Amino acid sequence: MTSFPRPALELRNLRTEFRIGGRWYPAVRNVSVSLMPNETLAVVGESGSGKSVTALSILRLLPHAGARIQGGEVLFEGQDLVTLSERDMSTIRGNSIAMIFQEPMTSLNPTMTVGDQIAEAILIHRGGSRMEAKAEALRLLDEVKIPSPKSRLDEYPHQFSGGMRQRVMIAMALACHPRVLLADEPTTALDVTIQAQVLSQLEELKQAYGMSMLFITHNLGVVAQIADRVAVMYAGEIVELATVDALFARPMHPYTAALLRAMPRADRANESLEPIPGSVPVLSAVPTGCAYAPRCPFKDRSCTELHPELVSSGDPGHMVRCPVRPVGGAH
Ligand SMILES: Nc1ncnc2c1ncn2[C@@H]1O[C@H](COP(=O)(O)OP(=O)(O)OP(=O)(O)O)[C@@H](O)[C@H]1O
Ligand code: NI
């Protein structure tokens, strides 16, 4: 019998809701997915599809009012993070599971030197002396390849370029050797060349630290560069889940196929991009059948009546939420 490794993080039927005009509406609906040890799972989908809310739900960083995790489990090292006490949860944040965002400036303190901020993070999470923490901060800046790290320790965030600030954030995220890194569009605000550098560096660090990564992005070129598997989200649900190779070669959900034609890719000129007609439904008006049906060129009557399940496509490990897939894939 083969034994499967235990996932580093497992979402089971996660459902997160927001209150709008006195009623609760789901922004993340029954999301089930496992992040395996050392794996990078990309999450893609148009704006508003529920990518960030999924990541924020894992760390319970949703707004206190008007947001709730309404169901499901987030399993990490045998515990369900959804039901953990706030105190235990704050130990998980930053220590075991860290998160980096698109705009590092909003997460860095403008009035503190970069060295002090990293040292502070180390002291809070790991303890030890201030001198040890400063030495570790220097080592981390060097590890994320910030030139002349020694002098840069004493500089403030505004003295760093966007790419260098993102490296500082990565250094802070790594300070406690997290098992899982949640990255929400960490390179989107950067120039293409800097983006590529930061990505390859994240990849190196992931190997060195033995981390798993959940990587949210709009850019399928980035997916091809960094991910092992991809979850495609639409209107709060996973509509397709596959390895990167399978997803690019044989997209099975009409939405995935449309995304592949609409999103930038490294291997193709951007002029050939075809925007997807229509838009993602607002939370209060998600269709009851297939959420994508109103925009889908392949829909039939059952699509607007029945809500499709995420099922195996027939290819091992390739899951899809569409019963009327056109023959030969959805190209
Ligand atoms: N605090 C909030 N209150 C109410 N609705 C919210 C809140 N945060 C997010 N939403 C809604 O939840 C849905 C999912 O949002 P989310 O931020 O997860 O999208 P996303 O896939 O990350 O999009 P983007 O690519 O633009 O970052 C959207 O309809 C959004 O408007
Ligand atoms: Ni987002």
Side-chain angles (χ1 to χ4, degrees):
M1 225 177 89
T2 34
S3 67
F4 290 98
R6 190 163 79 159
L9 184 73
E10 185 180 354
L11 309 186
R12 283 196 194 156
N13 293 317
L14 181 68
R15 181 179 176 97
T16 303
E17 301 180 339
F18 291 109
R19 194 173 51 219
I20 303 161
R23 288 186 59 182
W24 291 92
Y25 296 98
V28 168
R29 298 186 288 153
N30 301 324
V31 165
S32 295
V33 69
S34 293
L35 183 63
M36 301 312 288
N38 298 305
E39 180 183 45
T40 298
L41 175 74
V43 182
V44 301
E46 286 166 289
S47 190
S49 55
K51 306 181 299 292
S52 297
V53 173
T54 301
L56 294 171
S57 301
I58 293 169
L59 280 179
R60 298 200 347 222
L61 291 171
L62 298 158
H64 287 292
R68 67 181 185 193
I69 296 179
Q70 176 58 12
E73 295 162 292
V74 175
L75 300 174
F76 176 75
E77 292 180 346
Q79 320 178 79
D80 178 11
L81 302 187
V82 172
T83 54
L84 218 56
S85 71
E86 183 48 43
R87 192 158 157 227
D88 289 340
M89 194 62 219
S90 65
T91 316
I92 297 275
R93 280 186 211 114
N95 276 318
S96 311
I97 308 179
M99 186 159 178
I100 53 177
F101 301 90
Q102 178 169 343
E103 189 25 84
M105 210 47 192
T106 52
S107 341
L108 288 169
N109 181 345
T111 66
M112 233 170 134
T113 67
V114 158
D116 282 343
Q117 288 185 61
I118 302 176
E120 194 74 28
I122 295 166
L123 284 172
I124 290 172
H125 293 291
R126 279 208 257 167
S129 75
R130 180 155 286 275
M131 237 174 68
E132 284 164 351
K134 271 308 243 307
E136 176 66 3
L138 176 62
R139 195 191 66 74
L140 283 164
L141 281 192
D142 191 43
E143 185 163 36
V144 296
K145 300 204 177 71
I146 289 186
S148 348
K150 209 167 165 126
S151 58
R152 304 229 69 176
L153 272 182
D154 300 319
E155 291 181 0
Y156 291 87
H158 73 266
Q159 294 172 284
F160 286 68
S161 67
M164 289 297 156
R165 275 202 290 270
Q166 195 53 278
R167 284 164 201 249
V168 171
M169 285 312 299
I170 294 169
M172 283 179 74
L174 294 178
C176 301
H177 297 257
R179 308 299 308 153
V180 174
L181 182 64
L182 309 176
D184 191 348
E185 311 249 11
T187 60
T188 305
L190 308 176
D191 293 346
V192 184
T193 32
I194 308 289
Q195 173 167 317
Q197 287 168 12
V198 172
L199 285 176
S200 60
Q201 196 178 14
L202 266 177
E203 182 59 34
E204 260 174 50
L205 292 165
K206 193 196 93 180
Q207 301 296 346
Y209 281 70
M211 286 187 298
S212 306
M213 188 150 65
L214 187 84
F215 195 100
I216 295 171
T217 180
H218 270 106
N219 188 324
L220 289 167
V222 169
V223 170
Q225 186 182 340
I226 201 160
D228 302 302
R229 282 192 306 150
V230 192
V232 179
M233 284 190 79
Y234 187 79
E237 292 179 317
I238 294 180
V239 296
E240 187 158 1
L241 182 64
T243 62
V244 171
D245 293 344
L247 192 97
F248 279 71
R250 290 180 302 286
M252 297 212 186
H253 197 290
Y255 178 62
T256 308
L259 265 189
L260 288 174
R261 294 190 298 266
M263 281 183 160
R265 283 164 72 170
D267 57 349
R268 217 177 37 186
N270 282 353
E271 293 85 73
S272 61
L273 296 182
E274 283 175 51
I276 309 176
S279 53
V280 175
V282 295
L283 294 190
S284 55
V286 175
T288 46
C290 167
Y292 185 61
R295 303 170 75 184
C296 183
F298 304 106
K299 68 166 170 294
D300 65 22
R301 224 183 54 206
S302 68
C303 300
T304 51
E305 288 164 4
L306 298 172
H307 186 81
E309 296 292 322
L310 185 67
V311 295
S312 170
S313 69
D315 289 354
H318 196 150
M319 310 274 288
V320 62
R321 193 187 288 281
C322 176
V324 290
R325 303 190 300 279
V327 178
H331 281 285

